[in-house]
Amino acid sequence: MKRYGHGLVLGKFYPPHAGHHHLVRTARDHCERLTVLVCASSVESLSLEDRVAWMREIHPDVLVVGAVDDIPVDLHDPDVWAAHMAVFRAAVPEPVDAVFTSEAYGEELGRRFGADSVCVDPDRTLFPVSGTAVRKDPVGCWDFLEPPVRAALTRRVVVLGAESTGTTTMARALADHYRRRGGVWARTRYVPEYGRAYSEGKLAELRAERPGADWADVTFRSADFPVIAQRQAEMEEEAARDGSPVLFCDTDAFATTIWHERYMGTTSTATGEVAARGRQHLWLLTDHRGVEFEDDGLRDGEHLRPWMTARFLAQLTHTGRRTAVLTGPHEERLAAAVAAVDALLAEGPYLADPLPERR
């Protein structure tokens, strides 16, 4: 294949998949420099900013730019073509030597740019996937997606509750349940509670200074909680990039805002800001009733559990978070949790159709 100075790849990348990445890498290998133009319309569910960020992460050695293009596609209308070209040239004003596509419109696109048209794997033989297929069935196309895209499409389920109400047991049991479904689900991840590790660290530090100190001697500051919330969010994001279409989290940044209230007696703006950036979809609240309290050396006492359960439920309701309350013995709780998660998964990460196309 001929080598070019400045190459161009453009598309919706809604969402980007393995076929897109093959096209970009092929173009990059045959150009001195390559520009990738991401075009998004206002009706689409994934933001232009996210798609540009994903493409920049996946292809750090090319220039990725974005443009809003709210013009429906009509390959038979020269006026529509001219309108699209105005968008393309505003985003990529430099001369283009070659355009790389996998589409039949590549020849006309190249002609309008005054560039060669290079067609790459038009029959999708190397990567049998398309943006339409991903939008229709993200789970079926999961292995064609890169980590940042998987993270955006993963359904995130949080298990939260008062002390000694079985949150860890439930989160682990759910992850194991979905792993046993096999296939892509075998990669289902569980995110542990970072606040516990943080608490263990504070107790260890105190005992290094004061041998014999116990949990009652540990003091928390308001500044501890945003740190806990942020690290919890980071662990969640890391797991979502490397797992199945569902992720189970033992607590989250939202839950940390309630623990701040418990220890500090007030709300925390900084912790709330971390929680507001979360991308969770379902919260499973473990009721304290019917669960025997076990003191593992890092707990405050059984008397606090009714208040914590009520406060969690009140704030979940107040903030409009999708919630299921788990009650009864473990087997009943697990069955109810699975039913709630399956309902969430059945809805899928719905992605709106793009603007209509006439080809």
Side-chain angles (χ1 to χ4, degrees):
M1 187 185 296
K2 180 179 175 181
R3 188 162 184 83
Y4 298 93
H6 181 208
L8 174 66
V9 172
L10 65 82
K12 292 189 292 288
F13 305 101
Y14 181 47
H17 54 67
H20 291 134
H21 305 315
H22 172 65
L23 174 62
V24 170
R25 288 169 182 139
T26 300
R28 178 201 61 196
D29 290 344
H30 292 87
C31 297
E32 295 300 323
R33 60 191 181 95
L34 178 68
T35 298
V36 173
L37 172 57
V38 182
C39 294
S41 74
S42 303
V43 302
E44 295 165 353
S45 304
L46 301 174
S47 73
L48 173 62
E49 293 75 17
D50 281 345
R51 281 180 263 177
V52 168
W54 298 338
M55 293 299 286
R56 285 174 176 169
E57 177 183 339
I58 297 163
H59 303 283
D61 52 354
V62 307
L63 174 65
V64 181
V65 297
V68 175
D69 187 354
D70 280 326
I71 306 161
V73 172
D74 187 340
L75 300 182
H76 306 282
D77 189 327
D79 292 334
V80 172
W81 261 108
H84 283 293
M85 288 302 300
V87 173
F88 302 158
R89 288 193 177 279
V92 187
E94 315 94 287
V96 173
D97 300 310
V99 293
F100 292 76
T101 74
S102 299
E103 306 286 350
Y105 62 70
E107 287 293 333
E108 180 64 15
L109 184 65
R111 187 186 72 79
R112 287 178 177 268
F113 268 105
D116 286 358
S117 172
V118 182
C119 193
V120 178
D121 193 26
D123 297 324
R124 313 300 202 270
T125 54
L126 290 175
F127 297 98
V129 64
S130 67
T132 301
V134 176
R135 292 191 296 274
K136 182 179 179 180
D137 182 17
V139 174
C141 298
W142 202 250
D143 286 331
F144 290 113
L145 305 178
E146 290 287 322
V149 183
R150 290 199 298 264
L153 299 182
T154 296
R155 305 293 87 182
R156 306 182 186 203
V157 179
V158 180
V159 184
L160 75 172
E163 292 180 328
S164 190
T165 57
T167 58
T168 300
T169 298
M170 180 56 62
R172 286 176 171 167
L174 284 166
D176 183 62
H177 174 88
Y178 284 89
R179 286 189 198 113
R180 290 200 301 271
R181 293 189 174 183
V184 69
W185 303 102
R187 304 203 300 268
T188 298
R189 298 284 302 276
Y190 151 77
V191 182
E193 179 188 7
Y194 178 67
R196 182 171 184 83
Y198 190 89
S199 298
E200 290 172 345
K202 286 183 74 72
L203 180 57
E205 289 178 4
L206 182 60
R207 284 176 171 168
E209 300 173 0
R210 294 167 47 193
D214 59 26
W215 180 242
D217 300 313
V218 174
T219 301
F220 279 90
R221 299 174 296 112
S222 183
D224 290 320
F225 293 85
V227 173
I228 294 171
Q230 182 60 39
R231 183 57 191 144
Q232 188 74 45
E234 291 168 355
M235 291 167 59
E236 178 183 320
E237 189 69 14
E238 291 162 6
R241 294 168 69 96
D242 189 40
S244 82
V246 68
L247 174 67
F248 295 101
C249 308
D250 182 2
T251 200
D252 69 343
F254 163 77
T256 307
T257 67
I258 307 301
W259 287 108
H260 183 280
E261 291 185 29
R262 152 71 188 95
Y263 282 102
M264 300 292 104
T266 62
T267 58
S268 166
T269 300
T271 308
E273 289 173 352
V274 178
R277 295 193 293 268
R279 295 195 285 178
Q280 301 83 7
H281 302 90
L282 172 66
W283 286 259
L284 304 174
L285 176 60
T286 52
D287 195 352
H288 66 282
R289 290 169 293 187
V291 181
E292 184 176 351
F293 180 81
E294 296 181 7
D295 189 351
D296 63 359
L298 289 175
R299 289 173 175 158
D300 294 327
E302 185 173 6
H303 64 288
L304 294 169
R305 297 200 301 171
W307 180 87
M308 288 295 297
T309 300
R311 186 58 181 158
F312 276 128
L313 184 57
Q315 285 302 99
L316 286 165
T317 303
H318 175 70
T319 56
R321 284 171 162 83
R322 180 171 179 164
T323 303
V325 180
L326 306 182
T327 61
H330 174 74
E331 292 74 15
E332 291 181 13
R333 293 182 179 218
L334 181 58
V338 169
V341 174
D342 281 347
L344 174 69
L345 293 175
E347 298 170 10
Y350 172 74
L351 300 179
D353 291 334
L355 291 170
E357 298 184 3
R358 181 168 178 256
R359 292 177 176 249

